[in-house]
């Protein structure tokens, strides 16, 4: 696999696209007005303790109070001791150092933890721990043992903090690991010093801007061939960062001065637009329908126009195989998280089910977000979860439709007509002294009332004994109407 990272910068926002073999796989967006908060460290103040939820609300200076669960609070309990309750761990008015693990999502505030972690090029420091872990993506057992032994020695010398060795550390020498550990040790000392003098509700440590963060997190994979940036100022910042921390990436950085927009060059804009649609077309003629709701995301697989295989079972199998690969890409591209239910087309053969599930697992292997995939259920559904730390692409770029309120459907003009008839009856009975009634509604509803429903309207006028007039309103939605007494 060959990856390219494209960085598009404007004064209002920075966008980063990850392209693998010419196909867009991931998009990151950070706006100057609303930067991501994950990994930021705050000095917070407990505003409310909720024993019934084993959680607390914390004021950290954001628009909404953040959420801290008891399981996310570090404590010095020993094995065998009863698990402390939220009331044992914190109290109202207490000042506390917390880190954001999930951005505010929808109506929910940020999710917090006191288990602080600080990432660098090769390591992630765990200040409140002394253990050493190695990334699961480093597959060589010999390399895992080597890295664990080196970091165990460094940890014993420092005697204070634990570390997780990142995938980028594969093959690096002891000197580089020591330099990274020393950098993190100094950074943590600075954070502690700031936290003592900071006021509650203030930021103590802020993670890197998006462009630098992506270079740090993705640049060390060894598969990134090029990083193209369309802003000279951002290019210089990345170049300086690479010179200090990632010298092997300097040759891969490239400033793009072309007149044609960088994202247009790689067809990224069109792919982003497609990622906001419900329907995803498959090359075979089949398609996916993706619906994102508050509780979960559902994905329905359909054969569509694909009729190409020898028999029905083979046609379904091939469609499901292609869908599994497309679903893995769409989850990354749209950044869909939480509970995901996939309704593959029903397969009869167990071997076909196993192969489709394996294709989905292979597709998810390159996804950095943790996921868990269950077996095909008795109803033919695949249940899975994908870790969600930031808003989905749809939530970042879109808002609920003001007409339907996010339902995705409107009452038909016929339904609204009959609602108006019932409202006229109600008003005529309640206000018998009215001389006439005026109905304000959308043009579509008025046209239906005076045309197809004209006979019903005449009967209604005769029944209430009052003339009924209609006035179309251009600003009214199809569901909106008013009945005015005159």
């Amino acid at each position: 696999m060959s990856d390219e990272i494209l960085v598009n910068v404007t004064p209002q926002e920075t966008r980063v696209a990850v392209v693998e073999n010419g196909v867009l796989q991931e998009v990151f967006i950070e706006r100057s007005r609303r930067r991501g908060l994950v990994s930021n460290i705050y000095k917070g103040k407990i505003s409310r303790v909720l024993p019934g939820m084993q959680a607390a609300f914390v004021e950290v200076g954001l628009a909404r109070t953040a959420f801290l669960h008891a399981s996310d609070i570090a404590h010095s309990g020993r094995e065998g001791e009863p698990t402390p309750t939220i009331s044992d761990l914190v109290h109202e008015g207490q000042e506390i150092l917390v880190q954001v693990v999930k951005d505010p999502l929808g109506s929910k505030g940020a999710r917090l933890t006191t288990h602080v972690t600080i990432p660098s090029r090769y390591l992630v420091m765990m200040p409140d721990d002394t253990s050493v872990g190695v990334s699961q993506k480093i597959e060589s057992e010999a390399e895992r043992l080597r890295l664990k032994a080196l970091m165990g020695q460094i940890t014993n010398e420092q005697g204070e903090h634990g570390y997780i060795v990142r995938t980028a550390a594969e093959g690096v020498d002891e000197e580089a690991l020591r330099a990274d550990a020393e950098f993190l040790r100094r950074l943590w000392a600075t954070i502690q010093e700031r936290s003592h003098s900071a006021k509650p509700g203030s930021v103590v440590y802020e993670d890197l801007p998006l462009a630098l963060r992506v270079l740090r997190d993705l640049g060390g994979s060894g598969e990134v061939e090029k990083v193209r940036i369309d802003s000279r100022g951002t290019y210089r910042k990345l170049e300086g960062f690479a010179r200090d921390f990632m010298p092997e990436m300097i040759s891969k950085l490239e400033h793009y001065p072309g007149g044609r927009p960088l994202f247009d060059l790689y067809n990224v804009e069109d792919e982003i637009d497609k990622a906001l649609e419900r329907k995803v077309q498959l090359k075979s003629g089949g398609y996916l329908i993706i619906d994102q709701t508050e509780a979960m995301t559902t994905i329905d697989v359909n054969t569509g126009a694909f009729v190409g295989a020898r028999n029905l079972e083979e046609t379904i199998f091939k469609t499901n195989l292609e869908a599994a690969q497309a679903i893995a890409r769409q989850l990354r591209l749209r950044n869909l998280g939480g509970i995901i239910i996939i309704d593959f087309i029903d397969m009869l053969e167990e071997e076909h089910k196993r192969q489709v599930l394996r294709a989905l697992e292979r597709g998810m292997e390159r996804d950095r977000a943790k996921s868990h995939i269950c077996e095909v259920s008795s109803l033919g559904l695949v249940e899975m979860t994908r870790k969600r730390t930031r808003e989905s692409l749809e939530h970042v770029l879109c808002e609920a439709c003001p007409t339907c309120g996010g339902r995705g459907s409107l009452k038909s003009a016929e339904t609204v007509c009959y609602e108006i008839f019932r409202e006229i009856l109600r008003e005529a009975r309640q206000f018998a002294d009215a001389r006439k009634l005026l109905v304000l509604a959308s043009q579509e509803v008025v046209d239906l009332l005076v045309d197809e429903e004209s006979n019903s309207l005449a009967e209604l006028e005769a029944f209430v004994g009052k003339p009924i007039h209609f006035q179309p309103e251009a600003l009214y939605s199809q569901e909106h109407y008013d009945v005015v007494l005159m």
Side-chain angles (χ1 to χ4, degrees), residues 65 75 217 356 461:
T65 53
H75 62 88
D217 294 342
V356 168
E461 277 190 317

Side-chain angles (χ1 to χ4, degrees), residues 26-68:
E26 219 161 348
V27 177
F28 302 89
I29 299 174
E30 184 173 83
R31 291 178 170 164
S32 54
R33 287 185 181 179
R34 193 177 60 187
R35 285 190 58 187
L37 306 175
V38 173
S39 294
N40 286 2
I41 299 175
Y42 294 83
K43 187 170 185 179
K45 186 175 183 179
I46 305 293
S47 62
R48 191 177 174 196
V49 177
L50 306 170
M53 295 177 63
Q54 284 301 295
F57 286 122
V58 186
E59 293 285 354
V60 291
L62 302 176
R64 290 192 294 271
T65 53
F67 182 82
L68 177 65

Side-chain angles (χ1 to χ4, degrees), residues 302-321:
N302 298 278
T303 52
F306 181 50
V307 293
R310 290 171 296 175
N311 55 56
L312 179 60
E313 177 69 14
E314 199 67 24
T315 301
I316 289 170
F317 175 53
K318 288 188 175 180
T319 303
N320 282 340
L321 274 180

Side-chain angles (χ1 to χ4, degrees), residues 335-386:
N335 191 33
L336 297 172
I339 299 171
I340 299 159
I341 306 293
I342 305 170
D343 185 9
F344 285 108
I345 307 167
D346 290 340
M347 295 170 284
L348 299 177
E349 296 186 21
E350 291 300 320
E351 179 60 19
H352 286 175
K353 293 179 183 178
R354 191 192 66 78
Q355 289 188 41
V356 168
L357 207 61
R358 180 62 190 134
L360 179 62
E361 290 169 349
R362 282 198 305 271
M364 297 298 296
E365 283 174 0
R366 291 182 61 81
D367 192 349
R368 282 176 303 281
K370 289 182 181 179
S371 60
H372 175 70
I373 302 172
C374 299
E375 296 294 323
V376 180
S377 74
S378 57
L379 297 177
L381 305 174
V382 172
E383 301 171 15
M384 65 173 290
T385 59
R386 182 175 182 270

Side-chain angles (χ1 to χ4, degrees), residues 413-430:
E414 186 179 28
T415 299
V416 177
C417 284
Y418 299 155
E419 285 186 1
I420 290 172
F421 287 165
R422 288 193 294 273
E423 183 64 21
I424 287 172
L425 282 170
R426 192 179 298 115
E427 297 279 349
R429 286 168 180 162
Q430 189 172 357

Side-chain angles (χ1 to χ4, degrees), residues 52 95 110 148 195 210 222 234 267 280 328 344 367 380 443 481:
E95 295 180 3
K148 194 159 188 176
S195 70
L210 177 62
T234 302
N267 204 34
V280 178
F344 285 108
D367 192 349
Q443 185 69 59
Y481 65 87

